[in-house]
Every structure is written in C-alpha cells, then in structure tokens.
Amino acid sequence: MIETAPTGFDQYREHISRGQIELVEYYSETVGCDRKTFIYTPPGYSEQHKYNVLFLLHGIGGDEAEWKNHGNIQVVLDNLYADGKLEPMIVVLPNGRAMPNDRAEGDIFDPDKVKAFETFEFDLLHDLIPFIESKYPVFTGRENYSIAGLSMGGGQALNIGLNHLDRFAWVGAFSPAPNTKVPELLVPNPEEAANLLRLLWLSCGDQDDLKHISDRTHSYLSEHGVPHVWYEESGGHDWPVWKNDLYHFSQLLFRV
C-alpha cells in the first residue's frame, strides 16, 4: 500500500540545495520549426557527470510549462533531493502537442490538435532525444530513460514507452486519458514487456471519471503476468493526485 505524500512535500523549503529549471529551444524536423521544452537539472548538476533522463508529459490543456506552473515540479524534486530520495536525473518537460502552433488555445479537442499528440512520438524519438543527448551529459541506454505523464500525457507515455522498450525501461502513467491504446495493442507481447521493463507504474484517483481506462489496463497486465505498480488513490482528475504520483514514482526510478 502506497501512502499519501507527507504534508509539505510540495512546499518551498529554506536552506536546501536547489536544481535549475530553464526554457530551451530545439529544432524539430518532424514539425518543421523550433520547439520549446523546459529542462530541470538537479542540485549539484555538473557537466563532469552523466545523468539519467525522465521525460514528463502534460495533459491535453497544457504545454511545456504545465508541470512547472501547476505541479510545483522543481519544489517537489528539490525537496526529494534534499532528503536523499532521488537518483540523479535530468527531467525534460516537452510540449506533447507536436504541431507548428502548439499553444493550448482555441478548441483543444480539435482533431488536428489531438492528432499532434500522436505526432509527438516521432518528434520525441527523432528530434528531442537527439537534442538532449547532444547538449546534456546523459546516459543513453534504455535503462537510463524513463517516460511518464498525466492524463493525455499518461496515455502518450504508455503508447510511446511500451511501443519502444528498446528506448525506455521505466514507464509511468498518472490518470491516463482515452488516447491510451487498448491493452492488447499496448502490450501485444506480455512476456517481452515483463522481461524488459524495470518499472511500469499505473495510477488513478478513485473519483476520476476516466478511471475505467486505468482499470482495463491494470486488469490486462495482471491477467497476463506483467509486473506493475497499481496505485488507486483518493481523488479525482486533478493536481493533488498528479503531484502525489510524481512524488512516489520519481523515487522508484533508476534504482539498481
């Protein structure tokens, strides 16, 4: 049983070392323009060391700033590092809406905008990951790469991560949305997934109207013997749930 994160886990603390979060641009051949992503580097970051990488994705109404502005990600991670609970990692907060105008404006459910969340798979693999590997001192093995996200980004994380087990050994979905592929397509070869995954995390609030997406995935994984963390928590489709998920999920990453 996973307990709720302790009070104050997402509150600013005085007198601790802090990571840095900055907005950077990379060129996307997939989209045909420059794109933005926030990058969090941990306390004590040095180009003399190599780091694991977590790609953390936003929801359908967000963009690259969503986790920063609403999830207090830098505070949550800084506090965890201060408590000695995280392995060193760079966290990449991309825009999962891969299209020239990738702002969350107008009708966010427009078919072209929804399709852009699928296109992000190619932008991530062919543009963003090579950019990160060229600009930051990161490990490049599959066991050093994780992908996770909330809602629409949770669906993306499952769709992309489980389709590319040669690139990602750590996959997490917080309240995944209906863009999540049906389990038979997500995990067509359960034995292979069980052998290759270091962590598969699936979580959802017990009052979430989209919980049936997580329930069907959890049932399939259990039936087919794919080890995974299933975390059914108190709450709806909202930030208290997702911040709590980040707190717990991040501590499991990149453990030997």
Side-chain angles (χ1 to χ4, degrees):
M1 179 65 68
I2 301 174
E3 299 180 356
T4 301
T7 301
F9 80 98
D10 59 347
Q11 300 302 306
Y12 184 89
R13 290 191 206 169
E14 298 286 353
H15 312 303
I16 65 171
S17 298
R18 306 198 185 283
Q20 299 293 322
I21 190 164
E22 64 173 344
L23 184 65
V24 302
E25 290 189 353
Y26 66 98
Y27 183 76
S28 170
E29 292 280 356
T30 300
V31 181
C33 63
D34 288 331
R35 306 199 70 224
K36 296 177 181 178
T37 181
F38 274 99
I39 308 284
Y40 169 90
T41 50
Y45 172 78
S46 168
E47 293 189 357
Q48 305 307 311
H49 298 96
K50 286 195 172 184
Y51 295 86
N52 303 298
V53 186
L54 165 62
F55 293 90
L56 190 60
L57 311 179
H58 60 81
I60 194 169
D63 56 27
E64 69 279 351
E66 185 176 46
W67 273 102
K68 175 178 178 290
N69 293 341
H70 300 288
N72 260 15
I73 182 172
Q74 65 274 37
V75 173
V76 173
L77 296 182
D78 284 351
N79 290 346
L80 283 168
Y81 277 115
D83 293 337
K85 293 182 176 180
L86 290 187
E87 292 296 308
M89 71 182 89
I90 289 173
V91 182
V92 183
L93 308 170
N95 188 317
R97 189 183 295 99
M99 60 191 304
N101 179 6
D102 58 9
R103 297 302 91 191
E105 56 191 20
D107 179 8
I108 60 173
F109 295 98
D110 180 274
D112 288 343
K113 295 181 180 180
V114 173
K115 179 67 175 177
F117 281 92
E118 296 180 24
T119 305
F120 176 71
E121 178 173 351
F122 305 97
D123 175 69
L124 172 65
L125 295 173
H126 302 303
D127 300 306
L128 181 53
I129 288 179
F131 170 80
I132 295 298
E133 292 180 347
S134 70
K135 298 295 183 181
Y136 294 86
V138 298
F139 295 109
T140 58
R142 59 178 299 277
E143 296 209 354
N144 306 105
Y145 272 32
S146 173
I147 185 168
L150 68 89
S151 193
M152 192 74 162
Q156 285 180 300
L158 292 175
N159 295 345
I160 297 171
L162 295 176
N163 190 42
H164 296 281
L165 293 174
D166 59 322
R167 304 300 300 271
F168 301 98
W170 315 78
V171 178
F174 314 154
S175 316
N179 65 317
T180 306
K181 293 178 181 177
V182 296
E184 293 79 7
L185 294 180
L186 271 182
V187 188
N189 189 334
E191 184 177 356
E192 178 189 45
N195 288 334
L196 291 178
L197 283 164
R198 294 295 304 275
L199 172 66
L200 177 54
W201 167 288
L202 182 65
S203 58
C204 195
D206 57 5
Q207 301 167 50
D208 193 324
D209 290 341
L210 299 180
K211 186 171 176 288
H212 63 281
I213 304 295
S214 296
D215 286 337
R216 77 182 185 192
T217 305
H218 166 56
S219 295
Y220 178 89
L221 295 171
S222 298
E223 179 182 349
H224 290 82
V226 180
H228 63 289
V229 173
W230 166 236
Y231 181 27
E232 185 177 348
E233 58 198 297
S234 177
H237 201 74
D238 51 34
W239 280 105
V241 166
W242 301 325
K243 287 194 291 184
N244 182 57
D245 294 338
L246 174 66
Y247 174 86
H248 292 294
F249 173 76
S250 62
Q251 294 181 62
L252 301 177
L253 293 177
F254 311 120
R255 300 290 181 182
V256 177

